[in-house]
Coordinates of all heavy atoms in Angstrom, one line a residue:
M10 N 0.9 -1.2 0.0 CA 0.0 0.0 0.0 C 0.9 1.2 0.0 O 1.8 1.3 0.8 CB -0.9 0.0 1.2 CG -1.8 1.2 1.3 SD -2.8 1.2 2.8 CE -3.7 -0.3 2.6
K11 N 0.6 2.2 -0.9 CA 1.4 3.4 -0.9 C 1.2 4.2 0.3 O 0.1 4.3 0.9 CB 1.0 4.2 -2.1 CG 1.4 3.5 -3.4 CD 1.1 4.3 -4.6 CE 1.5 3.6 -5.9 NZ 1.3 4.4 -7.0
S12 N 2.2 4.9 0.8 CA 2.1 5.6 2.0 C 1.1 6.7 2.0 O 0.4 7.0 3.0 CB 3.5 6.1 2.5 OG 4.0 6.9 1.4
R13 N 1.0 7.4 0.8 CA 0.0 8.5 0.7 C -1.4 8.0 0.9 O -2.2 8.6 1.6 CB 0.2 9.2 -0.6 CG -0.2 10.6 -0.6 CD 0.1 11.3 -1.9 NE 1.3 10.8 -2.5 CZ 1.7 11.2 -3.8 NH1 0.9 11.9 -4.5 NH2 2.8 10.7 -4.3
L14 N -1.7 6.8 0.3 CA -3.0 6.2 0.4 C -3.2 5.8 1.9 O -4.3 6.0 2.4 CB -3.1 5.0 -0.5 CG -4.4 4.2 -0.4 CD1 -5.6 5.1 -0.7 CD2 -4.4 3.0 -1.4
F15 N -2.2 5.2 2.5 CA -2.4 4.8 3.9 C -2.7 6.1 4.8 O -3.6 6.0 5.6 CB -1.1 4.2 4.4 CG -1.2 3.8 5.9 CD1 -1.7 2.6 6.2 CD2 -0.8 4.7 6.9 CE1 -1.8 2.2 7.6 CE2 -0.9 4.3 8.2 CZ -1.4 3.1 8.5
L16 N -2.0 7.2 4.5 CA -2.3 8.4 5.3 C -3.7 8.9 5.1 O -4.3 9.5 6.0 CB -1.2 9.4 5.1 CG 0.2 9.1 5.6 CD1 1.2 10.1 5.2 CD2 0.1 8.8 7.1
R17 N -4.2 8.8 3.9 CA -5.6 9.2 3.6 C -6.6 8.3 4.4 O -7.5 8.8 5.0 CB -5.9 9.1 2.1 CG -5.2 10.2 1.3 CD -5.4 10.1 -0.2 NE -6.8 10.2 -0.5 CZ -7.3 9.8 -1.7 NH1 -6.5 9.4 -2.6 NH2 -8.6 9.9 -1.9
I18 N -6.3 7.0 4.4 CA -7.2 6.1 5.1 C -7.1 6.3 6.6 O -8.1 6.3 7.3 CB -6.8 4.6 4.8 CG1 -7.1 4.3 3.3 CG2 -7.4 3.6 5.7 CD1 -6.4 3.0 2.8
D19 N -5.9 6.6 7.1 CA -5.6 7.0 8.5 C -6.4 8.2 8.9 O -7.1 8.3 9.9 CB -4.1 7.2 8.7 CG -3.9 7.6 10.2 OD1 -3.9 6.6 11.0 OD2 -3.6 8.7 10.4
A20 N -6.4 9.2 8.0 CA -7.2 10.5 8.3 C -8.7 10.2 8.3 O -9.4 10.8 9.2 CB -6.9 11.5 7.2
L21 N -9.2 9.4 7.4 CA -10.6 9.0 7.5 C -10.9 8.3 8.8 O -12.0 8.5 9.4 CB -11.0 8.1 6.3 CG -11.1 8.8 4.9 CD1 -11.2 7.8 3.8 CD2 -12.4 9.7 5.0
A22 N -10.1 7.3 9.2 CA -10.3 6.6 10.4 C -10.3 7.5 11.6 O -11.2 7.5 12.4 CB -9.2 5.5 10.6
E23 N -9.4 8.5 11.6 CA -9.3 9.4 12.7 C -10.6 10.3 12.7 O -11.2 10.5 13.8 CB -8.1 10.3 12.6 CG -8.0 11.3 13.8 CD -6.8 12.3 13.6 OE1 -6.5 12.6 12.4 OE2 -6.3 12.7 14.6
A24 N -11.0 10.8 11.6 CA -12.2 11.6 11.5 C -13.5 10.9 12.0 O -14.4 11.6 12.5 CB -12.4 12.1 10.1
H25 N -13.5 9.6 11.9 CA -14.7 8.9 12.3 C -14.5 8.2 13.6 O -15.3 7.3 14.0 CB -15.1 7.9 11.2 CG -15.6 8.6 9.9 ND1 -16.8 9.0 9.8 CD2 -14.9 8.9 8.8 CE1 -17.0 9.6 8.6 NE2 -15.8 9.5 8.0
G26 N -13.4 8.5 14.3 CA -13.2 7.9 15.6 C -12.8 6.4 15.6 O -13.0 5.7 16.6
A27 N -12.3 6.0 14.5 CA -11.9 4.6 14.4 C -10.4 4.4 14.5 O -9.7 5.4 14.2 CB -12.4 4.0 13.0
S28 N -10.0 3.3 14.9 CA -8.5 3.0 14.9 C -8.1 2.2 13.7 O -9.0 1.5 13.1 CB -8.1 2.3 16.2 OG -8.7 1.1 16.3
L29 N -6.9 2.2 13.4 CA -6.4 1.5 12.2 C -5.2 0.6 12.6 O -4.3 1.1 13.3 CB -6.0 2.5 11.2 CG -5.5 2.1 9.8 CD1 -6.6 1.3 9.1 CD2 -5.1 3.3 9.0
T30 N -5.2 -0.6 12.2 CA -4.0 -1.5 12.4 C -3.7 -2.2 11.2 O -4.4 -3.1 10.7 CB -4.4 -2.5 13.5 OG1 -4.8 -1.8 14.7 CG2 -3.2 -3.4 13.9
P31 N -2.5 -2.0 10.6 CA -2.1 -2.7 9.4 C -1.8 -4.1 9.7 O -1.5 -4.5 10.8 CB -0.8 -2.0 9.0 CG -0.6 -0.8 9.9 CD -1.5 -1.0 11.0
H32 N -2.1 -5.0 8.7 CA -1.9 -6.4 8.9 C -0.7 -6.9 8.0 O -0.6 -6.5 6.9 CB -3.2 -7.1 8.5 CG -3.1 -8.6 8.5 ND1 -3.0 -9.3 9.7 CD2 -3.1 -9.5 7.5 CE1 -2.9 -10.6 9.4 NE2 -3.0 -10.7 8.1
F33 N 0.1 -7.7 8.6 CA 1.2 -8.4 7.9 C 2.4 -7.4 7.7 O 2.2 -6.2 7.6 CB 0.7 -9.0 6.6 CG 1.7 -10.0 6.0 CD1 1.9 -11.2 6.6 CD2 2.4 -9.7 4.9 CE1 2.9 -12.1 6.1 CE2 3.3 -10.6 4.3 CZ 3.5 -11.8 5.0
F34 N 3.5 -8.0 7.5 CA 4.8 -7.3 7.2 C 5.1 -6.1 8.1 O 5.2 -5.0 7.7 CB 4.8 -6.9 5.8 CG 6.2 -7.0 5.1 CD1 6.3 -6.9 3.7 CD2 7.3 -7.3 5.8 CE1 7.5 -7.1 3.1 CE2 8.5 -7.4 5.2 CZ 8.6 -7.3 3.8
P35 N 5.2 -6.3 9.4 CA 5.5 -5.2 10.4 C 6.7 -4.4 10.1 O 6.8 -3.3 10.4 CB 5.5 -5.9 11.7 CG 5.9 -7.3 11.4 CD 5.3 -7.6 10.1
E36 N 7.7 -5.1 9.4 CA 9.0 -4.4 9.1 C 8.7 -3.2 8.2 O 9.5 -2.2 8.2 CB 10.0 -5.3 8.5 CG 10.5 -6.4 9.4 CD 9.5 -7.6 9.5 OE1 8.5 -7.7 8.8 OE2 9.8 -8.5 10.3
L37 N 7.7 -3.3 7.3 CA 7.4 -2.1 6.5 C 6.3 -1.2 7.1 O 6.4 0.0 7.0 CB 6.8 -2.7 5.1 CG 7.8 -3.2 4.2 CD1 7.1 -3.7 2.9 CD2 8.9 -2.2 3.8
H38 N 5.4 -1.8 7.8 CA 4.3 -1.1 8.4 C 4.7 -0.2 9.6 O 4.0 0.7 10.0 CB 3.1 -2.0 8.8 CG 2.4 -2.5 7.6 ND1 2.0 -3.8 7.6 CD2 2.1 -2.0 6.4 CE1 1.4 -4.0 6.4 NE2 1.5 -3.0 5.7
V39 N 5.8 -0.5 10.2 CA 6.3 0.2 11.4 C 6.4 1.7 11.1 O 6.0 2.6 11.9 CB 7.6 -0.3 12.0 CG1 8.8 -0.1 11.0 CG2 7.8 0.3 13.3
H40 N 6.8 2.1 9.8 CA 6.9 3.5 9.4 C 5.5 4.1 9.3 O 5.3 5.2 9.7 CB 7.7 3.6 8.1 CG 9.1 3.1 8.2 ND1 10.1 3.8 8.8 CD2 9.6 1.9 7.8 CE1 11.2 3.1 8.8 NE2 11.0 2.0 8.1
L41 N 4.6 3.4 8.7 CA 3.2 3.9 8.6 C 2.6 4.1 9.9 O 1.9 5.1 10.1 CB 2.4 2.9 7.7 CG 2.9 2.7 6.3 CD1 2.1 1.6 5.6 CD2 2.9 4.0 5.5
V42 N 2.7 3.2 10.8 CA 2.1 3.3 12.1 C 2.7 4.5 12.9 O 2.0 5.3 13.5 CB 2.3 2.0 13.0 CG1 1.9 2.2 14.4 CG2 1.5 0.9 12.3
A43 N 4.0 4.7 12.7 CA 4.6 5.9 13.3 C 4.1 7.2 12.8 O 4.0 8.2 13.5 CB 6.2 5.8 13.2
A44 N 3.8 7.2 11.5 CA 3.3 8.4 10.9 C 1.8 8.7 11.0 O 1.3 9.8 10.9 CB 3.6 8.4 9.4
G45 N 1.0 7.6 11.3 CA -0.4 7.7 11.4 C -0.9 8.3 12.7 O -0.2 8.3 13.7
R46 N -2.1 8.8 12.7 CA -2.7 9.3 13.9 C -3.8 8.4 14.5 O -4.1 8.4 15.7 CB -3.3 10.7 13.7 CG -2.2 11.7 13.3 CD -2.7 13.0 12.9 NE -3.4 13.5 14.1 CZ -3.4 14.8 14.4 NH1 -2.7 15.7 13.7 NH2 -4.0 15.2 15.5
A47 N -4.3 7.6 13.6 CA -5.4 6.7 14.1 C -4.9 5.2 14.3 O -5.6 4.4 14.7 CB -6.5 6.6 13.0
T48 N -3.6 5.0 14.1 CA -3.0 3.7 14.3 C -2.7 3.5 15.7 O -2.2 4.4 16.4 CB -1.7 3.6 13.5 OG1 -0.8 4.6 13.8 CG2 -2.0 3.5 12.0
T49 N -3.1 2.4 16.2 CA -3.0 2.1 17.7 C -2.1 0.9 17.9 O -1.5 0.8 19.0 CB -4.3 1.9 18.3 OG1 -5.0 0.9 17.6 CG2 -5.1 3.2 18.3
W50 N -2.0 0.0 17.0 CA -1.3 -1.3 17.1 C -0.4 -1.6 15.9 O -0.8 -1.2 14.8 CB -2.2 -2.4 17.4 CG -3.0 -2.3 18.6 CD1 -4.3 -1.8 18.7 CD2 -2.6 -2.6 19.9 NE1 -4.7 -1.8 20.0 CE2 -3.7 -2.3 20.8 CE3 -1.5 -3.1 20.5 CZ2 -3.7 -2.5 22.2 CZ3 -1.4 -3.3 21.9 CH2 -2.5 -3.0 22.7
L51 N 0.6 -2.3 16.1 CA 1.4 -2.9 15.0 C 1.5 -4.4 15.3 O 2.0 -4.8 16.3 CB 2.8 -2.3 14.9 CG 3.7 -2.9 13.9 CD1 3.3 -2.6 12.5 CD2 5.1 -2.4 14.1
E52 N 0.9 -5.2 14.4 CA 1.1 -6.7 14.6 C 2.5 -7.0 14.4 O 3.2 -6.5 13.5 CB 0.3 -7.4 13.5 CG -1.1 -7.5 13.7 CD -1.7 -8.4 12.6 OE1 -1.3 -8.4 11.5 OE2 -2.6 -9.2 13.0
H53 N 3.0 -7.9 15.3 CA 4.4 -8.3 15.1 C 4.5 -9.8 15.3 O 4.1 -10.4 16.3 CB 5.3 -7.7 16.2 CG 6.7 -8.1 16.0 ND1 7.3 -9.1 16.8 CD2 7.7 -7.8 15.1 CE1 8.5 -9.3 16.4 NE2 8.8 -8.6 15.4
F54 N 4.9 -10.5 14.2 CA 5.2 -11.9 14.2 C 6.4 -12.1 13.4 O 6.6 -11.5 12.4 CB 4.0 -12.7 13.7 CG 3.3 -12.1 12.5 CD1 3.6 -12.4 11.2 CD2 2.3 -11.2 12.7 CE1 3.0 -11.9 10.2 CE2 1.6 -10.6 11.7 CZ 2.0 -11.0 10.4
P55 N 7.3 -12.9 13.9 CA 8.7 -13.1 13.2 C 8.7 -13.9 12.0 O 9.5 -14.8 11.8 CB 9.5 -13.7 14.4 CG 8.5 -14.4 15.2 CD 7.2 -13.7 15.1
L56 N 7.7 -13.7 11.1 CA 7.6 -14.5 9.9 C 8.8 -14.5 9.0 O 9.2 -15.5 8.5 CB 6.3 -14.1 9.1 CG 6.0 -15.0 8.0 CD1 5.6 -16.4 8.4 CD2 4.8 -14.4 7.2
L57 N 9.4 -13.3 8.8 CA 10.5 -13.2 7.9 C 11.9 -13.0 8.6 O 12.9 -12.8 7.9 CB 10.3 -11.9 7.0 CG 9.1 -12.0 6.1 CD1 8.9 -10.7 5.3 CD2 9.2 -13.2 5.1
D58 N 11.9 -13.2 9.9 CA 13.1 -13.0 10.6 C 14.3 -13.8 10.1 O 15.4 -13.4 10.1 CB 13.0 -13.2 12.1 CG 12.3 -12.1 12.8 OD1 11.8 -11.1 12.2 OD2 12.1 -12.2 14.1
D59 N 14.0 -15.0 9.6 CA 15.1 -15.9 9.1 C 15.8 -15.3 7.9 O 16.9 -15.6 7.5 CB 14.5 -17.2 8.6 CG 13.9 -18.0 9.8 OD1 13.8 -17.5 10.9 OD2 13.6 -19.2 9.6
L60 N 15.1 -14.4 7.1 CA 15.6 -13.9 5.9 C 16.2 -12.5 6.0 O 16.7 -11.9 5.1 CB 14.5 -13.9 4.8 CG 13.9 -15.2 4.5 CD1 12.7 -15.1 3.5 CD2 14.9 -16.2 4.0
L61 N 16.0 -11.9 7.2 CA 16.5 -10.5 7.4 C 17.8 -10.5 8.1 O 18.1 -11.2 9.0 CB 15.5 -9.7 8.2 CG 14.1 -9.5 7.6 CD1 13.1 -8.9 8.6 CD2 14.2 -8.6 6.4
A62 N 18.7 -9.5 7.7 CA 20.0 -9.3 8.4 C 19.7 -8.6 9.7 O 20.5 -8.9 10.6 CB 20.9 -8.4 7.5
E63 N 18.7 -7.8 9.8 CA 18.3 -7.2 11.1 C 16.8 -7.3 11.2 O 16.1 -6.9 10.3 CB 18.7 -5.7 11.1 CG 20.2 -5.5 11.0 CD 20.6 -4.0 11.0 OE1 19.7 -3.1 11.2 OE2 21.7 -3.7 10.6
T64 N 16.4 -7.7 12.4 CA 15.0 -7.8 12.6 C 14.4 -6.6 13.2 O 15.1 -5.7 13.7 CB 14.7 -9.0 13.5 OG1 15.4 -8.8 14.8 CG2 15.1 -10.3 12.9
L65 N 13.1 -6.5 13.2 CA 12.4 -5.3 13.8 C 12.8 -5.3 15.3 O 12.6 -6.2 16.0 CB 10.9 -5.5 13.6 CG 10.0 -4.3 14.1 CD1 10.4 -3.0 13.3 CD2 8.6 -4.6 13.8
E66 N 13.2 -4.1 15.7 CA 13.6 -4.0 17.1 C 12.4 -3.6 18.0 O 11.6 -2.6 17.6 CB 14.7 -2.9 17.3 CG 15.2 -2.7 18.7 CD 16.3 -1.7 18.8 OE1 16.8 -1.2 17.7 OE2 16.6 -1.3 19.9
I67 N 12.1 -4.3 19.1 CA 11.1 -4.0 20.0 C 11.7 -3.6 21.3 O 12.5 -4.3 21.9 CB 10.2 -5.3 20.2 CG1 9.7 -5.9 18.9 CG2 9.0 -4.9 21.1 CD1 8.7 -5.0 18.1
R68 N 11.3 -2.3 21.7 CA 11.8 -1.8 23.0 C 10.7 -1.5 23.9 O 9.8 -0.7 23.5 CB 12.6 -0.5 22.8 CG 13.9 -0.7 22.1 CD 14.7 0.6 22.0 NE 15.2 0.8 20.6 CZ 15.2 1.9 20.0 NH1 14.8 3.0 20.6 NH2 15.6 2.0 18.8
N69 N 10.6 -2.1 25.1 CA 9.6 -1.8 26.0 C 8.2 -1.9 25.4 O 7.3 -1.1 25.6 CB 9.7 -0.4 26.6 CG 11.0 -0.2 27.4 OD1 11.5 -1.1 28.1 ND2 11.7 0.9 27.2
G70 N 8.0 -3.0 24.6 CA 6.7 -3.3 24.0 C 6.4 -2.4 22.8 O 5.3 -2.4 22.3
R71 N 7.3 -1.6 22.3 CA 7.1 -0.7 21.2 C 8.1 -1.0 20.1 O 9.3 -1.2 20.4 CB 7.2 0.8 21.6 CG 6.2 1.2 22.6 CD 6.3 2.6 23.0 NE 5.3 3.0 23.9 CZ 4.1 3.6 23.6 NH1 3.8 3.8 22.4 NH2 3.3 3.9 24.6
A72 N 7.6 -1.0 18.9 CA 8.5 -1.2 17.7 C 9.2 0.1 17.4 O 8.7 1.2 17.4 CB 7.6 -1.6 16.5
A73 N 10.5 -0.1 17.1 CA 11.4 1.0 16.8 C 11.7 1.0 15.3 O 12.3 0.1 14.8 CB 12.7 0.9 17.6
P74 N 11.2 2.0 14.5 CA 11.4 2.0 13.1 C 12.9 2.2 12.8 O 13.6 3.0 13.5 CB 10.7 3.3 12.6 CG 9.8 3.7 13.7 CD 10.3 3.1 14.9
P75 N 13.5 1.5 11.8 CA 14.9 1.7 11.5 C 15.1 3.2 11.0 O 14.2 3.8 10.5 CB 15.1 0.8 10.3 CG 14.0 -0.2 10.3 CD 12.9 0.5 11.0
D76 N 16.3 3.7 11.3 CA 16.5 5.1 10.9 C 17.3 5.2 9.6 O 17.8 6.2 9.3 CB 17.2 5.9 12.0 CG 18.6 5.3 12.4 OD1 19.0 4.2 11.8 OD2 19.2 5.8 13.3
R77 N 17.4 4.1 8.9 CA 18.0 4.1 7.6 C 17.1 4.7 6.5 O 15.9 4.6 6.6 CB 18.4 2.6 7.1 CG 19.4 2.0 8.0 CD 19.8 0.6 7.5 NE 18.7 -0.3 7.6 CZ 18.4 -1.0 8.8 NH1 19.1 -0.7 9.9 NH2 17.4 -1.9 8.8
P78 N 17.6 5.2 5.4 CA 16.8 5.7 4.3 C 16.0 4.6 3.7 O 16.3 3.4 3.8 CB 17.8 6.2 3.3 CG 19.1 6.3 4.0 CD 19.1 5.3 5.2
G79 N 14.9 4.9 3.1 CA 14.0 4.0 2.4 C 13.2 3.2 3.4 O 12.9 3.6 4.5
H80 N 12.9 2.0 3.0 CA 12.0 1.2 3.8 C 12.7 0.6 5.0 O 12.1 0.1 6.0 CB 11.3 0.0 3.1 CG 12.2 -0.8 2.3 ND1 13.3 -1.6 2.9 CD2 12.3 -1.1 1.0 CE1 13.9 -2.2 1.9 NE2 13.4 -2.0 0.8
G81 N 14.0 0.6 5.0 CA 14.8 0.2 6.2 C 15.1 -1.3 6.3 O 15.8 -1.8 7.2
L82 N 14.6 -2.1 5.3 CA 14.8 -3.6 5.4 C 16.2 -3.9 4.9 O 16.7 -3.3 3.9 CB 13.8 -4.3 4.5 CG 12.4 -4.3 4.9 CD1 11.5 -5.0 3.9 CD2 12.2 -5.0 6.3
R83 N 16.8 -4.8 5.6 CA 18.1 -5.3 5.1 C 18.0 -6.8 5.0 O 17.9 -7.5 6.1 CB 19.2 -4.9 6.1 CG 19.5 -3.4 6.0 CD 20.7 -3.0 6.7 NE 21.9 -3.8 6.3 CZ 22.8 -4.2 7.2 NH1 22.7 -3.9 8.5 NH2 23.8 -4.9 6.8
W84 N 18.0 -7.4 3.8 CA 17.9 -8.8 3.6 C 19.2 -9.5 3.8 O 20.3 -8.9 3.5 CB 17.4 -9.1 2.2 CG 16.1 -8.5 1.9 CD1 15.8 -7.4 1.2 CD2 14.8 -9.1 2.3 NE1 14.4 -7.2 1.1 CE2 13.8 -8.2 1.8 CE3 14.4 -10.2 3.0 CZ2 12.5 -8.4 2.0 CZ3 13.1 -10.4 3.2 CH2 12.1 -9.5 2.7
D85 N 19.2 -10.7 4.3 CA 20.4 -11.5 4.5 C 20.5 -12.3 3.2 O 19.8 -13.2 2.9 CB 20.2 -12.5 5.6 CG 21.4 -13.3 5.9 OD1 22.0 -13.8 4.9 OD2 21.7 -13.5 7.1
E86 N 21.5 -11.9 2.3 CA 21.6 -12.4 1.0 C 22.0 -13.9 1.0 O 21.5 -14.6 0.1 CB 22.7 -11.6 0.2 CG 22.3 -10.2 -0.1 CD 21.1 -10.1 -1.0 OE1 20.9 -11.0 -1.9 OE2 20.3 -9.1 -0.8
D87 N 22.8 -14.3 2.0 CA 23.1 -15.8 2.1 C 21.9 -16.6 2.3 O 21.7 -17.7 1.7 CB 24.1 -16.0 3.2 CG 25.5 -15.4 2.8 OD1 25.8 -15.2 1.6 OD2 26.2 -15.1 3.7
R88 N 21.0 -16.2 3.2 CA 19.8 -16.9 3.5 C 18.8 -16.9 2.3 O 18.1 -17.9 2.1 CB 19.1 -16.4 4.8 CG 20.0 -16.7 6.0 CD 19.3 -16.2 7.2 NE 20.2 -16.4 8.4 CZ 20.0 -15.7 9.5 NH1 19.1 -14.7 9.6 NH2 20.8 -15.9 10.5
L89 N 18.7 -15.7 1.7 CA 17.9 -15.6 0.5 C 18.3 -16.5 -0.6 O 17.5 -17.1 -1.4 CB 17.8 -14.2 0.0 CG 16.9 -13.2 0.7 CD1 17.1 -11.8 0.1 CD2 15.5 -13.7 0.7
S90 N 19.6 -16.7 -0.8 CA 20.1 -17.5 -1.9 C 19.6 -18.9 -1.9 O 19.5 -19.6 -2.9 CB 21.6 -17.4 -2.0 OG 22.2 -18.1 -0.8
A91 N 19.3 -19.4 -0.7 CA 18.8 -20.8 -0.6 C 17.4 -20.9 -1.2 O 17.0 -22.0 -1.6 CB 18.7 -21.2 0.9
H92 N 16.7 -19.8 -1.5 CA 15.4 -19.8 -2.0 C 15.3 -19.4 -3.5 O 14.2 -19.3 -4.0 CB 14.5 -18.9 -1.2 CG 14.4 -19.4 0.3 ND1 13.6 -20.4 0.7 CD2 15.0 -18.9 1.4 CE1 13.7 -20.6 2.0 NE2 14.6 -19.7 2.4
R93 N 16.5 -19.1 -4.1 CA 16.5 -18.6 -5.5 C 16.2 -19.8 -6.4 O 16.6 -20.9 -6.2 CB 17.8 -18.0 -5.8 CG 18.0 -16.7 -5.1 CD 19.1 -15.8 -5.8 NE 19.1 -14.5 -5.2 CZ 20.0 -14.1 -4.3 NH1 21.0 -14.9 -4.0 NH2 19.9 -12.9 -3.8
V94 N 15.5 -19.4 -7.4 CA 15.1 -20.4 -8.5 C 15.5 -19.8 -9.8 O 15.1 -18.6 -10.0 CB 13.6 -20.8 -8.4 CG1 13.3 -21.7 -9.5 CG2 13.2 -21.3 -7.1
R95 N 16.1 -20.5 -10.7 CA 16.4 -20.0 -12.0 C 15.1 -19.9 -12.9 O 14.2 -20.7 -12.7 CB 17.4 -20.9 -12.7 CG 18.7 -20.9 -12.0 CD 19.6 -21.9 -12.7 NE 21.0 -21.4 -12.5 CZ 21.9 -21.6 -13.4 NH1 21.7 -22.2 -14.5 NH2 23.1 -21.1 -13.2
C96 N 15.0 -18.9 -13.7 CA 13.8 -18.8 -14.6 C 13.6 -20.0 -15.4 O 12.4 -20.4 -15.6 CB 14.0 -17.6 -15.5 SG 14.0 -16.0 -14.7
A97 N 14.6 -20.7 -15.9 CA 14.4 -21.9 -16.7 C 13.7 -23.0 -15.8 O 12.9 -23.8 -16.3 CB 15.8 -22.5 -17.2
E98 N 14.0 -23.0 -14.5 CA 13.4 -24.0 -13.6 C 11.9 -23.7 -13.5 O 11.1 -24.6 -13.3 CB 14.0 -24.0 -12.3 CG 15.5 -24.5 -12.3 CD 16.1 -24.4 -11.0 OE1 15.5 -24.4 -9.9 OE2 17.4 -24.2 -10.9
L99 N 11.5 -22.4 -13.5 CA 10.1 -22.1 -13.4 C 9.3 -22.5 -14.6 O 8.1 -22.8 -14.5 CB 10.0 -20.6 -13.2 CG 10.5 -20.0 -11.8 CD1 10.5 -18.5 -11.8 CD2 9.7 -20.6 -10.7
R100 N 9.9 -22.4 -15.8 CA 9.3 -22.8 -17.0 C 9.0 -24.3 -17.2 O 8.2 -24.7 -18.0 CB 10.0 -22.2 -18.2 CG 10.0 -20.7 -18.3 CD 10.7 -20.2 -19.5 NE 11.0 -18.8 -19.4 CZ 12.2 -18.3 -19.3 NH1 13.3 -19.0 -19.5 NH2 12.4 -17.0 -19.2
A101 N 9.8 -25.0 -16.6 CA 9.8 -26.5 -16.7 C 8.5 -27.1 -16.1 O 7.9 -26.6 -15.3 CB 11.0 -27.1 -16.1

């Protein structure tokens, strides 16, 4: 979901007294939750932790967004390589 669209949805939720909680991929949504006004929760489950070089940091029950530029994800290339498939293999 594009961040601008998320913020529009967040503003609608706030205007109507509703809360908003993104589902799935907390490593990306942590930035949206930090920017939103109607967001109250961030789901966190370590689904992709095996593939990340750095996992989402939780401090005192709160997620800490990475301070790196962009989305902040750092993939573990060695772990990802175990899941690579050649295009020729997909066509077979």
Side-chain angles (χ1 to χ4, degrees):
M10 180 181 298
K11 293 184 179 182
S12 57
R13 211 175 322 171
L14 177 58
F15 179 87
L16 292 175
R17 286 176 60 196
I18 294 168
D19 180 76
L21 283 170
E23 182 186 30
H25 292 279
S28 62
L29 183 62
T30 303
H32 175 68
F33 196 68
F34 217 168
E36 294 83 4
L37 285 179
H38 290 143
V39 66
H40 299 285
L41 298 175
V42 170
R46 297 177 61 140
T48 53
T49 53
W50 297 97
L51 174 70
E52 279 186 324
H53 180 258
F54 38 93
L56 186 64
L57 297 176
D58 282 6
D59 297 9
L60 302 175
L61 295 172
E63 293 177 17
T64 59
L65 185 61
E66 186 179 347
I67 307 293
R68 291 186 227 141
N69 299 320
R71 295 181 181 267
D76 60 0
R77 292 184 291 280
H80 53 59
L82 291 176
R83 291 192 48 221
W84 298 102
D85 184 317
E86 293 297 328
D87 291 335
R88 292 179 185 159
L89 280 177
S90 66
H92 300 281
R93 287 201 175 106
V94 179
R95 296 176 150 213
C96 289
E98 293 173 29
L99 293 174
R100 293 186 196 116

